[in-house]
Amino acid sequence: MMGTILAGHFQLQDEIDAARQALHAAGFADQQISSFFLNPPGQHDTFGPGGDRARSPGAKDTPAGLAKGAAAGGVIGAAVGAVTAPVTGPLGPVVGGLLGAHVGSLYSFAEMKEAGAPEAGGENRAPPRPPGMLIAVAVTAQSEAAALAVLRRLGAHHLERAEGTIVAGDWRDFDPLSAPRLVA
Protein backbone atom coordinates (compact mmCIF):
# COMPACT_ATOMS: atom_id res chain seq x y z
CA MET A 1 0.00 0.00 0.00
CA MET A 2 1.50 3.30 -1.11
CA GLY A 3 1.87 6.11 1.35
CA THR A 4 3.77 9.35 1.81
CA ILE A 5 7.54 9.23 2.07
CA LEU A 6 9.85 12.05 3.12
CA ALA A 7 13.44 11.84 1.94
CA GLY A 8 16.54 13.91 2.48
CA HIS A 9 20.10 13.84 1.21
CA PHE A 10 23.27 13.77 3.28
CA GLN A 11 26.91 13.62 2.26
CA LEU A 12 28.25 11.14 4.78
CA GLN A 13 27.28 7.74 6.13
CA ASP A 14 27.73 9.10 9.69
CA GLU A 15 25.05 11.71 8.96
CA ILE A 16 22.70 8.97 7.74
CA ASP A 17 23.36 6.98 10.92
CA ALA A 18 22.62 10.04 13.08
CA ALA A 19 19.42 10.71 11.12
CA ARG A 20 18.31 7.10 11.54
CA GLN A 21 18.89 7.32 15.31
CA ALA A 22 17.04 10.65 15.54
CA LEU A 23 14.10 9.26 13.56
CA HIS A 24 14.02 6.24 15.94
CA ALA A 25 14.00 8.64 18.90
CA ALA A 26 11.08 10.49 17.27
CA GLY A 27 9.07 7.26 17.17
CA PHE A 28 9.72 5.85 13.69
CA ALA A 29 10.32 2.11 13.46
CA ASP A 30 13.33 0.72 11.61
CA GLN A 31 10.97 -0.88 9.06
CA GLN A 32 9.72 2.63 8.13
CA ILE A 33 13.20 3.96 7.34
CA SER A 34 15.26 3.29 4.23
CA SER A 35 18.74 4.58 3.46
CA PHE A 36 20.93 4.00 0.44
CA PHE A 37 23.46 5.59 -1.88
CA LEU A 38 21.95 7.25 -4.93
CA ASN A 39 24.16 7.03 -8.03
CA PRO A 40 24.68 10.03 -10.32
CA PRO A 41 22.21 10.47 -13.21
CA GLY A 42 22.97 8.03 -16.03
CA GLN A 43 24.46 5.45 -13.67
CA HIS A 44 21.35 3.88 -12.13
CA ASP A 45 21.57 0.72 -14.24
CA THR A 46 17.81 0.66 -14.76
CA PHE A 47 18.18 -0.25 -18.44
CA GLY A 48 19.28 -3.78 -19.36
CA PRO A 49 22.64 -3.03 -21.03
CA GLY A 50 23.40 -0.42 -18.34
CA GLY A 51 22.65 3.22 -17.71
CA ASP A 52 19.22 4.80 -17.36
CA ARG A 53 17.85 4.86 -20.90
CA ALA A 54 18.23 3.10 -24.23
CA ARG A 55 19.32 6.39 -25.76
CA SER A 56 20.87 9.49 -24.23
CA PRO A 57 18.27 12.29 -24.18
CA GLY A 58 20.55 14.81 -25.88
CA ALA A 59 21.75 12.47 -28.63
CA LYS A 60 18.67 12.42 -30.86
CA ASP A 61 20.36 14.33 -33.72
CA THR A 62 23.74 12.59 -33.51
CA PRO A 63 23.36 9.95 -36.28
CA ALA A 64 22.10 12.44 -38.88
CA GLY A 65 24.67 15.09 -37.90
CA LEU A 66 27.57 12.69 -38.04
CA ALA A 67 26.47 11.30 -41.41
CA LYS A 68 26.13 14.83 -42.83
CA GLY A 69 29.59 15.81 -41.55
CA ALA A 70 31.19 12.60 -42.77
CA ALA A 71 29.63 12.98 -46.23
CA ALA A 72 30.72 16.60 -46.62
CA GLY A 73 34.22 15.85 -45.30
CA GLY A 74 34.53 12.78 -47.51
CA VAL A 75 33.67 14.72 -50.66
CA ILE A 76 36.12 17.51 -49.83
CA GLY A 77 38.84 15.02 -48.87
CA ALA A 78 38.35 13.01 -52.06
CA ALA A 79 38.54 16.20 -54.15
CA VAL A 80 41.78 17.26 -52.44
CA GLY A 81 43.12 13.71 -52.87
CA ALA A 82 42.25 13.80 -56.59
CA VAL A 83 44.11 17.09 -57.05
CA THR A 84 47.18 15.62 -55.35
CA ALA A 85 46.93 12.30 -57.22
CA PRO A 86 50.01 13.06 -59.38
CA VAL A 87 52.05 13.21 -56.16
CA THR A 88 50.17 10.68 -53.94
CA GLY A 89 49.22 8.19 -56.61
CA PRO A 90 45.90 6.37 -57.03
CA LEU A 91 45.38 6.01 -53.26
CA GLY A 92 45.33 9.80 -52.79
CA PRO A 93 41.58 10.25 -53.40
CA VAL A 94 40.75 7.20 -51.25
CA VAL A 95 42.91 8.28 -48.30
CA GLY A 96 41.75 11.88 -48.74
CA GLY A 97 38.12 10.78 -48.71
CA LEU A 98 38.56 8.65 -45.56
CA LEU A 99 40.49 11.34 -43.73
CA GLY A 100 37.99 13.99 -44.81
CA ALA A 101 35.05 11.86 -43.64
CA HIS A 102 36.68 11.38 -40.25
CA VAL A 103 37.47 15.09 -39.79
CA GLY A 104 34.00 16.05 -41.04
CA SER A 105 32.28 13.76 -38.55
CA LEU A 106 34.37 15.15 -35.68
CA TYR A 107 33.61 18.72 -36.73
CA SER A 108 29.86 18.06 -37.01
CA PHE A 109 29.85 16.32 -33.60
CA ALA A 110 31.57 19.32 -31.98
CA GLU A 111 29.15 21.68 -33.73
CA MET A 112 26.11 19.76 -32.43
CA LYS A 113 27.56 19.71 -28.91
CA GLU A 114 28.17 23.47 -28.95
CA ALA A 115 24.66 24.16 -30.24
CA GLY A 116 23.29 22.69 -27.02
CA ALA A 117 19.69 22.94 -28.16
CA PRO A 118 17.36 21.71 -25.42
CA GLU A 119 15.24 18.67 -26.07
CA ALA A 120 11.58 19.20 -26.88
CA GLY A 121 9.73 19.28 -23.58
CA GLY A 122 12.98 19.26 -21.59
CA GLU A 123 12.88 22.91 -20.54
CA ASN A 124 10.31 22.36 -17.80
CA ARG A 125 11.87 19.23 -16.35
CA ALA A 126 12.84 19.24 -12.68
CA PRO A 127 16.56 18.84 -12.12
CA PRO A 128 17.58 15.26 -11.35
CA ARG A 129 18.25 14.12 -7.81
CA PRO A 130 21.82 14.78 -6.74
CA PRO A 131 23.96 11.74 -6.04
CA GLY A 132 24.82 10.86 -2.47
CA MET A 133 23.36 9.29 0.63
CA LEU A 134 19.57 9.33 0.82
CA ILE A 135 17.40 8.57 3.83
CA ALA A 136 13.68 8.08 3.47
CA VAL A 137 10.97 7.58 6.04
CA ALA A 138 7.36 6.47 5.60
CA VAL A 139 5.11 9.00 7.32
CA THR A 140 1.46 9.58 8.08
CA ALA A 141 -0.38 12.89 8.13
CA GLN A 142 0.21 12.99 11.90
CA SER A 143 3.93 12.11 11.82
CA GLU A 144 5.08 14.05 8.75
CA ALA A 145 5.88 17.28 10.62
CA ALA A 146 8.02 15.40 13.17
CA ALA A 147 10.04 13.62 10.47
CA LEU A 148 10.51 16.86 8.55
CA ALA A 149 11.70 18.64 11.70
CA VAL A 150 14.26 15.88 12.41
CA LEU A 151 15.65 15.93 8.87
CA ARG A 152 15.87 19.73 8.80
CA ARG A 153 17.49 19.92 12.23
CA LEU A 154 20.20 17.48 11.09
CA GLY A 155 20.92 19.45 7.90
CA ALA A 156 19.34 17.25 5.24
CA HIS A 157 19.29 18.93 1.87
CA HIS A 158 17.07 18.40 -1.16
CA LEU A 159 14.17 17.35 1.05
CA GLU A 160 11.45 15.75 -1.02
CA ARG A 161 8.01 14.24 -0.63
CA ALA A 162 7.10 11.16 -2.62
CA GLU A 163 4.49 8.46 -2.86
CA GLY A 164 5.74 4.95 -2.35
CA THR A 165 6.19 1.96 -0.12
CA ILE A 166 8.92 1.17 2.38
CA VAL A 167 8.82 -2.50 3.37
CA ALA A 168 11.26 -3.86 5.94
CA GLY A 169 13.55 -0.87 5.44
CA ASP A 170 13.54 -1.07 1.63
CA TRP A 171 11.96 1.66 -0.55
CA ARG A 172 10.73 -0.91 -3.06
CA ASP A 173 9.17 1.37 -5.66
CA PHE A 174 11.82 4.12 -5.64
CA ASP A 175 12.41 5.43 -9.15
CA PRO A 176 15.69 7.35 -9.45
CA LEU A 177 14.51 8.84 -12.76
CA SER A 178 11.29 10.33 -11.40
CA ALA A 179 11.17 14.08 -10.88
CA PRO A 180 11.61 14.91 -7.19
CA ARG A 181 8.89 16.97 -5.50
CA LEU A 182 10.97 19.21 -3.27
CA VAL A 183 9.61 20.30 0.12
CA ALA A 184 9.71 24.04 0.61
Side-chain angles (χ1 to χ4, degrees):
M1 183 167 123
M2 290 183 70
T4 302
I5 295 176
L6 285 179
H9 292 260
F10 289 97
Q11 290 300 314
L12 304 172
Q13 181 65 45
D14 291 345
E15 294 172 321
I16 291 291
D17 295 340
R20 183 178 287 279
Q21 289 175 0
L23 287 167
H24 279 295
F28 295 94
D30 201 36
Q31 295 82 7
Q32 293 175 272
I33 303 169
S34 179
S35 61
F36 52 92
F37 183 80
L38 181 62
N39 289 329
Q43 297 180 12
H44 299 301
D45 200 26
T46 56
F47 183 69
D52 294 342
R53 296 175 174 88
R55 192 175 212 164
S56 181
K60 65 180 173 23
D61 295 328
T62 301
L66 289 177
K68 184 172 133 183
V75 169
I76 293 169
V80 170
V83 169
T84 62
V87 176
T88 60
L91 290 178
V94 173
V95 172
L98 292 173
L99 184 61
H102 178 66
V103 171
S105 68
L106 294 176
Y107 175 76
S108 67
F109 183 66
E111 189 176 281
M112 286 184 297
K113 186 174 182 178
E114 288 174 13
E119 237 185 310
E123 302 84 21
N124 298 325
R125 243 186 235 153
R129 288 179 179 87
M133 296 301 300
L134 183 74
I135 190 162
V137 58
V139 297
T140 63
Q142 296 78 23
S143 66
E144 183 172 351
L148 195 53
V150 167
L151 293 174
R152 282 189 171 140
R153 177 174 52 84
L154 294 174
H157 54 96
H158 293 92
L159 288 166
E160 67 176 274
R161 182 178 291 111
E163 295 299 315
T165 307
I166 295 179
V167 177
D170 181 30
W171 187 352
R172 302 225 172 166
D173 47 7
F174 175 71
D175 179 6
L177 301 179
S178 66
R181 293 184 351 227
L182 297 179
V183 176

